[in-house]
Amino acid sequence: MSQVLADLRYAKSHEWARSLPDGRIEVGITDHAQHALGDLVFVDVPPVGTALAIGGACAVVESVKAASDVYSPVAGTVVEVNASLSGSPELINEDCYGKGWLYRVQPASSSGLDALLDASAYSAVLAAEGG
Amino acid sequence: MPFIPHTEQDVREMLVTIGAPSIDALFDEIPASLRISGLDGIPEGLSEMEIGRLMGERARLDGRPLSFLGAGAYEHHIPSAVWTITTRGEFYSAYTPYQAEASQGTLQLIYEYQTMISSLTGMEVSNASLYDGGSAVAEAALMAVRAHRKSKSLRVLVPQTVNPNYRRVAISTAGNQGLRFETVAYRREDGCIDREALAAYAGEDIAALVIQQPNFFGQLEDVDALTDWAHEQGMLVIAVVNPTSLALLKPPGEWGKTGADICVGEGQPLGVPLSSGGPYFGFMTTRMEYVRSMPGRIVGRTVDLDGKQGYTLTLQAREQHIRRGKATSNICTNQGLLMTAATIYMTLIGPQGLSKVAAASMQRSDELVEALTQVKGVRAAFKGPRFHEAVLLLDRPASAVLRELEAQGILGGLDLSGDYPELGSALLVCATETKTAGDLARYAAALGAAVQKVRAA
Amino acid sequence: MNQILEKSIFEYSRAGRSAHAQQPPGADVASAAQKIPAALRRRTAPMLPEVSELDAVRHFTRLSQLNFSIDTNFYPLGSCTMKYNPKACNQYAMLPEFLARHPLAPDTQGQGFLSCMFELQEMLKEVTGMKAVSLNPMAGAHGEFAGVAMIRAYHRARGDLARNEIIVPEAAHGTNPATATMCGCIVKEIPVDAQGDVDLDALAKAVGPNTAGIMLTNPSTLGVFERKIEQVAKLVHGAGGLLYYDGANLNAILGKVRPGDMGFDVIHMNLHKTFSTPHGGGGPGAGAVGVSARLEPFLPVPIVGREGDHYRWLSEADRPQSIGRLSAFMGNAGVLLRAYIYMRMLGREGMSRVGEYATLNANYVMARLRQAGFDLAYPERRASHEFIVTMKRQAKELNVTAMDIAKRLLDYGFHAPTTYFPLLVPECLLIEPTETESRETLDGFVAAMASIMAEAQADASTLKTAPHTMPVRRLDDVRAAKQLDLTWKPVNSAA
């Protein structure tokens, strides 16, 4: 059973988003997603300064058997990327909600994460997918 | 039924196992209205003896003229061992090495090929080959657009000094994805890219500049200055090179201050017979930072469960069978057998041998130009350094002169009037290490006679 | 099989050694270099091996011995049609005159070669039921590209500019959607029903004024004939779209049904499958395309034409609406010669038997594997030239996967079937025996599968750790992709 953290928001396409105290938003892929992909070998994150729209393909996570697009769960501008991932993509497998974060954005509006799923709604999505 | 081993008894018993009354019954899911009764338009089958005789007759019709054609396909000596080994069944009849444990031979060979081609071109990484030189240029243009991190431009500059057929293939292949290829004129005095025409593009948002070295006319471009200029403009540089020439010419990885970004070319000169245009192979090398944007198969070295060294296809997630609509390319074939031949060729020729092949080709080509320009009404079109090809200007129509030469069993070169009408009557000629002094003398004598005959007509 | 792995060719290299007989006589490297401006000269020699001819011959011969191949092993690789590659096809395509012919030699110096190409075009038209053929594309995917590009060109020429959607069944080869994307089209995937046929309701909803066409393989990648093909054709044509036939499975129906008669407008043929040209360890292929009358003007050039008894290339000037040139010269000409020789040897009778015996062999192996307790993906259907076994039950009960079976088969001397394709069927093995295999070989394969299943029941670890007898055991793909090692480097080099 995949791990779903109670304090995060989720997208149906298996990304999570976390509000940081300074107003920025941290984005990553969920435990379900990392498990489905298997051992990750490469991560391509958007360069700092990229403007992201909700649902736009913005990053690629690649395992031996699959390469998958990551769709941005929030709109905003990339202000920081997780530099450790270029040398250690396995961080996503080991700690997808912590050290395996992908990038941080300055959100475009203050409406924040309300449009995203909460933990119980995302768990329901996973249950419906059979996972 | 050649190559079908079944006896009548086999068929009977197999049908019993299946539970079908006849072979025909196995097709009962196909609507009867669609079934055909036979293939009347196909001739009767031939035994091996008969087909051997037929093909011998067809081959004789093609003849063995003395050829001075180049223009992207070059006659070189091919060591006997190259095709003796390449056509061993274990290479010839093997599938793509997806089952790595049962394909270590092919995989290690690709790894060795990647090493040789990377070193020859001065780049960091190579794929396992592409279809041919023309399609490699098209794939390089697509890759440049994909890999460019700062520009989203779909414009690519392709000077007129790039092989016209490569330019055509690039347009047919990449045009559908919105790429726009813009030509740049050449200088009449030396047949190289016109820097003033190029300067007109300064400051514009363009993905890449293609530089062919030696260029289609055989002339040597000032690759350092061109590369640096393109990089200053924020363009990537796609080098198109002849692998033989790289024994003597600066490899693309060393062009300008930082080197070309993508290098491609036609691999045929490395042990592949002319064979009416194929099968050849295209090669492609690049910087490590662009490896994930590179199309085609790539082999990596790794270890097995016991820690023993082995080879496997890697970075497969880029490819069509996994990435489907988002793949870097729809390519699934590399030209494995030709790459095998090229690897054996490069091994047998070695670094010194390749230098000698390049040097001898330059020498023969110089001697050819020297001999042919002695003929009245024939002169060299361009000044400046060349590799093993040259453009000659004639004072009579090239097509008529070529016909006269052909009647003497000589293919005198390529008539450039179709692609470069501004040159007038022009001929692209080539000589490599395979030509003897006698061959050159024969051509010179025949050319003299041919020009005279055309002039008299 | 040779258990000693072969060291790299670079480790045999010794400075100053060479294959002397291969060096061109009288070459003066120093004086040639002098003619090149200093800034354009190479400064350090490329890292090519310096070995004797015997060193090279032994090394590459040993490498060859580390491979499986059709000449040494049964290769039931679904969707790949690994049939015997007759030796005559290679020998007679490599006659000296054919090898020496320059691609730009005039037509008059190539009537032998061109006549073979013209007759090949004619024969391919006959077996596919298409109106015209171009031999230019150099592989299946290249042919697919040509096909979709022609569909786009056709709609554009009619001013029908909105048609940019290509419909693809979810079971399609990965090249289909990749090709559509390369042609600047949008891909719409539609489902297949429980019996493996296209879902007509979904298709009816998918077609419309934006439909450029549909790409189908028939028999499909599920190893069954698409029974509703006539309705599919009617629906797509009715909506103004065209039908594309992926010829990957043409071997199944050769001599029995023709794509042209099924209503297809364009088809690519994998000559390296159906017409037995070699796979060469991953190429060269050849992906000739055939079209119906309305697409003929758009065929890629060059094409071989005949005027009286003279053969000549038709180029851009003859075909102004052509999608253009896809190779610098004439595609994989030497491969085309091999296909020509194969077709002439088989002739009318032999060609009609290909589909029959390929289908007989597939249905026989399917029946015997079913008897041996294997689960079929489509047990109610006839096999075409291939069929799917699913290991879903064994994966659950015995914890063995399709990949484990595939790897263990290598130990029995059989190449693995295609695994994990089509993606639609869990834990699948796609098995295609081809018509050139004898009953004894097929029985041997079935016996190996049964024996492997017995091993799985006794001790699954034998399978999980297979293969055991190959030159290497399972390789660390994750390490290969993470710690990229793509070129050989001297041990002491800084890199």
Side-chain angles (χ1 to χ4, degrees):
Chain A
M1 193 62 206
S2 304
Q3 190 188 21
V4 178
L5 298 191
D7 59 338
L8 301 182
R9 291 302 188 112
Y10 300 88
K12 273 186 187 161
S13 46
H14 310 292
E15 294 84 12
W16 57 260
R18 171 186 283 136
S19 286
L20 299 174
D22 58 7
R24 296 183 303 168
I25 292 169
E26 188 173 84
V27 173
I29 65 168
T30 67
D31 188 43
H32 170 83
Q34 72 79 16
H35 190 73
L37 285 162
D39 289 328
L40 290 174
V41 296
F42 180 70
V43 181
D44 189 25
V45 289
V48 169
T50 309
L52 301 178
I54 290 181
C58 62
V60 176
V61 285
E62 184 183 313
S63 69
V64 171
K65 59 181 181 181
S68 179
D69 284 316
V70 175
Y71 302 97
S72 186
V74 289
T77 305
V78 177
V79 289
E80 192 181 351
V81 298
N82 186 351
S84 315
L85 294 178
S86 66
S88 304
E90 66 276 11
L91 288 174
I92 295 178
N93 296 114
E94 291 162 4
D95 185 11
C96 67
Y97 296 118
K99 288 181 185 154
W101 63 277
L102 292 174
Y103 58 86
R104 293 172 179 152
V105 296
Q106 190 67 50
S109 75
S110 57
S111 62
L113 307 177
D114 294 347
L116 294 171
L117 307 172
D118 63 16
S120 66
Y122 180 61
S123 296
V125 168
L126 292 182
E129 283 187 15
Chain B
M1 291 186 291
F3 318 121
I4 293 176
H6 301 62
T7 64
E8 278 179 32
Q9 185 184 350
D10 288 337
V11 174
R12 269 198 313 276
E13 292 174 6
M14 290 168 81
L15 285 170
V16 169
T17 303
I18 296 168
S22 64
I23 291 182
D24 212 43
L26 300 175
F27 294 88
D28 56 10
E29 290 189 359
I30 301 180
S33 55
L34 293 176
R35 304 266 298 271
I36 54 169
S37 55
L39 297 167
D40 297 337
I42 304 289
E44 290 285 342
L46 299 176
S47 69
E48 184 167 316
M49 184 177 75
E50 292 168 310
I51 191 76
R53 186 179 176 120
L54 175 75
M55 296 311 286
E57 287 164 7
R58 299 282 173 98
R60 274 191 293 282
L61 285 176
D62 287 358
R64 285 297 295 273
L66 181 64
S67 169
F68 294 89
L69 280 162
Y74 302 102
E75 180 183 289
H76 289 291
H77 164 69
I78 301 174
S80 305
V82 171
W83 283 88
T84 306
I85 298 175
T86 301
T87 52
R88 281 179 67 92
E90 299 95 325
F91 286 134
Y92 186 81
S93 74
Y95 188 66
T96 306
Y98 288 132
Q99 291 292 336
E101 300 88 342
S103 314
Q104 285 296 300
T106 291
L107 288 163
Q108 182 174 335
L109 197 140
I110 295 173
Y111 180 84
E112 292 177 359
Y113 161 83
Q114 289 173 181
T115 306
M116 292 182 202
I117 285 285
S118 298
S119 175
L120 193 59
T121 57
M123 307 295 284
E124 290 171 293
V125 291
S126 166
N127 68 10
S129 75
L130 297 164
Y131 299 139
D132 74 347
S135 62
V137 171
E139 289 288 347
L142 288 166
M143 174 178 161
V145 166
R146 203 163 49 225
H148 206 305
R149 290 208 81 128
K150 297 206 181 82
S151 166
K152 295 241 183 300
S153 171
L154 296 174
R155 297 167 68 193
V156 176
L157 294 182
V158 188
Q160 281 189 291
T161 57
V162 173
N163 186 325
N165 275 350
Y166 293 0
R167 288 186 268 143
R168 289 191 182 97
V169 174
I171 292 166
S172 324
T173 306
N176 273 316
Q177 288 179 76
L179 265 67
R180 294 215 314 274
F181 295 94
E182 299 174 38
T183 55
V184 180
Y186 62 93
R187 282 189 298 250
R188 288 299 295 273
E189 56 272 26
D190 65 359
C192 289
I193 296 171
D194 183 345
R195 298 294 304 282
E196 280 175 36
L198 196 58
Y201 291 96
E204 295 192 30
D205 185 12
I206 293 168
L209 169 67
V210 181
I211 306 171
Q212 183 172 344
Q213 175 82 328
N215 72 22
F216 182 65
F217 301 134
Q219 304 290 118
L220 299 185
E221 301 273 5
D222 184 359
V223 289
D224 292 331
L226 291 166
T227 300
D228 288 340
W229 178 85
H231 282 156
E232 281 159 24
Q233 303 302 321
M235 303 176 197
L236 297 185
V237 170
I238 298 170
V240 182
V241 292
N242 175 331
T244 309
S245 76
L246 291 179
L248 299 179
L249 296 180
K250 184 188 268 187
E254 296 174 15
W255 289 4
K257 293 190 187 79
T258 55
D261 301 287
I262 304 168
C263 171
V264 292
E266 173 55 67
Q268 176 274 330
L270 302 174
V272 177
L274 289 164
S275 186
S276 289
Y280 296 170
F281 73 98
F283 58 87
M284 175 181 268
T285 58
T286 188
R287 303 170 187 278
M288 186 57 99
E289 65 175 297
Y290 298 133
V291 68
R292 284 186 158 77
S293 300
M294 183 161 61
R297 295 178 183 136
I298 301 170
V299 168
R301 186 162 62 165
T302 183
V303 294
D304 74 359
L305 283 174
D306 297 333
K308 187 155 111 185
Q309 177 182 293
Y311 302 85
T312 186
L313 290 172
T314 191
L315 299 180
Q316 288 193 75
R318 302 164 301 120
E319 294 187 58
Q320 52 75 27
H321 63 280
I322 291 175
R323 208 62 176 124
R324 296 174 75 86
K326 286 188 167 163
T328 50
S329 164
N330 75 343
I331 288 187
C332 27
T333 308
N334 62 317
Q335 300 280 99
L337 208 58
L338 295 313
M339 176 222 67
T340 301
T343 307
I344 302 173
Y345 174 87
M346 287 189 277
T347 300
L348 283 167
I349 287 289
Q352 290 141 18
L354 198 65
S355 298
K356 288 184 187 168
V357 170
S361 299
M362 276 182 76
Q363 283 164 237
R364 290 297 96 78
S365 157
D366 277 350
E367 290 159 15
L368 177 68
V369 171
E370 179 66 31
L372 299 184
T373 50
Q374 301 296 313
V375 174
K376 186 168 170 268
V378 179
R379 63 193 172 89
F382 304 121
K383 293 180 302 200
R386 298 183 293 103
F387 183 53
H388 66 4
E389 283 178 280
V391 178
L392 300 178
L393 299 179
L394 312 181
D395 66 357
R396 287 291 176 276
S399 55
V401 173
L402 285 174
R403 268 198 302 276
E404 289 301 328
L405 288 169
E406 196 192 325
Q408 303 303 312
I410 294 171
L411 303 183
L414 181 67
D415 178 0
L416 294 181
S417 60
D419 283 312
Y420 300 94
E422 69 281 1
L423 286 174
S425 174
L427 207 56
L428 181 64
V429 297
C430 175
T432 65
E433 87 281 8
T434 59
K435 294 293 178 287
T436 64
D439 295 334
L440 305 185
R442 190 179 145 205
Y443 182 16
L447 183 65
V451 171
Q452 212 161 17
K453 198 164 169 190
V454 172
R455 194 173 283 135
Chain C
M1 184 154 269
N2 190 352
Q3 285 301 303
I4 303 153
L5 275 199
E6 176 65 7
K7 65 184 179 183
S8 139
I9 188 66
F10 302 101
E11 291 165 84
Y12 287 99
S13 188
R14 295 292 176 272
R17 188 170 288 160
S18 71
H20 298 293
Q22 307 306 338
Q23 310 279 313
D28 182 348
V29 174
S31 74
Q34 283 307 312
K35 292 183 189 154
I36 300 168
L40 297 180
R41 269 181 233 154
R42 183 166 196 128
R43 291 186 295 265
T44 50
M47 191 175 66
L48 301 180
E50 296 181 73
V51 297
S52 70
E53 184 159 331
L54 179 56
D55 286 339
V57 168
R58 284 212 179 119
H59 172 70
F60 291 108
T61 301
R62 283 185 192 140
L63 284 189
S64 78
Q65 291 171 330
L66 301 176
N67 273 358
F68 268 32
S69 65
I70 301 176
D71 281 5
T72 52
N73 304 82
F74 177 44
Y75 241 94
L77 201 56
S79 195
C80 299
T81 312
M82 298 298 284
K83 62 169 84 174
Y84 171 58
N85 306 145
K87 299 296 173 192
C89 300
N90 187 52
Q91 177 166 339
Y92 296 120
M94 293 191 79
L95 293 176
E97 291 87 348
F98 290 140
L99 293 188
R101 186 175 181 278
H102 193 283
L104 298 169
D107 300 341
T108 40
Q109 301 284 332
Q111 289 296 297
F113 169 71
L114 287 170
S115 65
C116 295
M117 294 300 100
F118 182 82
E119 290 170 20
L120 177 60
Q121 290 173 184
E122 293 299 306
M123 288 192 288
L124 292 174
K125 279 157 62 176
E126 171 73 11
V127 299
T128 59
M130 306 307 286
K131 173 73 176 15
V133 162
S134 166
L135 302 171
N136 204 253
M138 293 179 278
H142 210 210
E144 273 184 40
F145 174 83
V148 178
M150 282 188 275
I151 290 176
R152 284 214 78 181
Y154 167 81
H155 291 309
R156 269 196 211 126
R158 291 158 49 92
D160 210 348
L161 302 177
R163 295 190 180 273
N164 67 343
E165 288 177 3
I166 292 284
I167 300 169
V168 175
E170 58 186 340
H173 291 113
T175 50
N176 291 173
T179 300
T181 306
M182 266 198 97
C183 290
C185 290
I186 296 161
V187 179
K188 272 183 125 170
E189 292 209 4
I190 55 165
V192 295
D193 66 23
Q195 288 301 308
D197 292 313
V198 164
D199 182 335
L200 285 181
D201 290 338
L203 177 62
K205 287 198 194 92
V207 296
N210 296 334
T211 302
I214 185 169
M215 298 179 84
L216 283 178
T217 312
N218 195 13
S220 74
T221 58
L222 303 175
V224 294
F225 192 83
E226 173 56 64
R227 291 174 291 194
K228 301 175 190 164
I229 182 61
E230 289 164 300
Q231 291 100 301
V232 170
K234 211 170 155 192
L235 262 173
V236 175
H237 280 152
L242 299 181
L243 273 79
Y244 181 92
Y245 183 90
D246 176 335
N249 294 345
L250 185 63
N251 210 54
I253 56 167
L254 196 61
K256 306 305 284 185
V257 200
R258 307 190 305 173
D261 300 334
M262 292 186 233
F264 284 95
D265 300 284
V266 53
I267 138 171
H268 88 263
M269 297 154 257
N270 297 291
L271 302 186
H272 49 285
K273 297 179 182 178
T274 316
F275 302 103
S276 196
T277 67
H279 280 75
V289 285
V291 292
S292 58
R294 53 182 157 179
L295 286 177
E296 184 171 1
F298 306 101
L299 277 173
V301 289
I303 300 161
V304 183
R306 182 170 64 180
E307 284 153 4
D309 54 5
H310 180 77
Y311 300 92
R312 75 170 181 95
W313 294 118
L314 304 178
S315 64
E316 287 89 343
D318 303 284
R319 295 291 177 96
Q321 284 186 291
S322 165
I323 58 162
R325 207 169 268 271
L326 299 178
S327 67
F329 301 112
M330 176 44 209
N332 284 337
V335 179
L336 300 169
L337 272 178
R338 286 168 175 81
Y340 172 75
I341 296 166
Y342 175 78
M343 291 186 86
R344 289 302 305 267
M345 288 183 82
L346 258 59
R348 185 186 309 138
E349 170 75 7
M351 207 96 65
S352 303
R353 299 292 165 257
V354 167
E356 291 184 355
Y357 283 79
T359 303
L360 176 70
N361 276 0
N363 278 282
Y364 176 72
V365 176
M366 182 169 87
R368 292 221 46 210
L369 285 178
R370 189 204 308 245
Q371 288 164 3
F374 286 88
D375 297 334
L376 304 175
Y378 295 97
E380 308 302 320
R381 301 287 308 264
R382 290 273 190 220
S384 59
H385 65 317
E386 62 187 357
F387 62 95
I388 300 172
V389 166
T390 170
M391 306 300 297
K392 192 180 174 188
R393 182 168 53 83
Q394 290 86 344
K396 212 168 173 182
E397 293 171 4
L398 304 172
N399 189 32
V400 293
T401 64
M403 186 58 81
D404 296 331
I405 305 254
K407 295 297 184 194
R408 185 63 179 146
L409 270 169
L410 301 176
D411 287 328
Y412 283 81
F414 296 109
H415 194 277
T418 299
T419 49
Y420 300 108
F421 180 85
L423 306 169
L424 219 51
V425 181
E427 296 298 333
C428 66
L429 294 168
L430 182 62
I431 298 172
E432 178 183 4
T434 83
E435 73 279 7
T436 58
E437 297 297 336
S438 70
R439 183 185 169 188
E440 288 77 6
T441 302
L442 305 181
D443 286 340
F445 173 73
V446 172
M449 289 286 284
S451 167
I452 291 169
M453 197 42 63
E455 288 175 345
Q457 279 150 0
D459 176 9
S461 69
T462 315
L463 276 65
K464 305 292 305 174
T465 54
H468 302 279
T469 61
M470 294 290 104
V472 292
R473 298 184 62 203
R474 283 195 213 186
L475 292 154
D476 187 344
D477 289 332
V478 173
R479 177 185 157 127
K482 260 161 76 169
Q483 301 172 32
L484 289 176
D485 174 359
L486 309 179
T487 57
W488 186 87
K489 292 167 195 76
V491 177
N492 294 324
S493 83

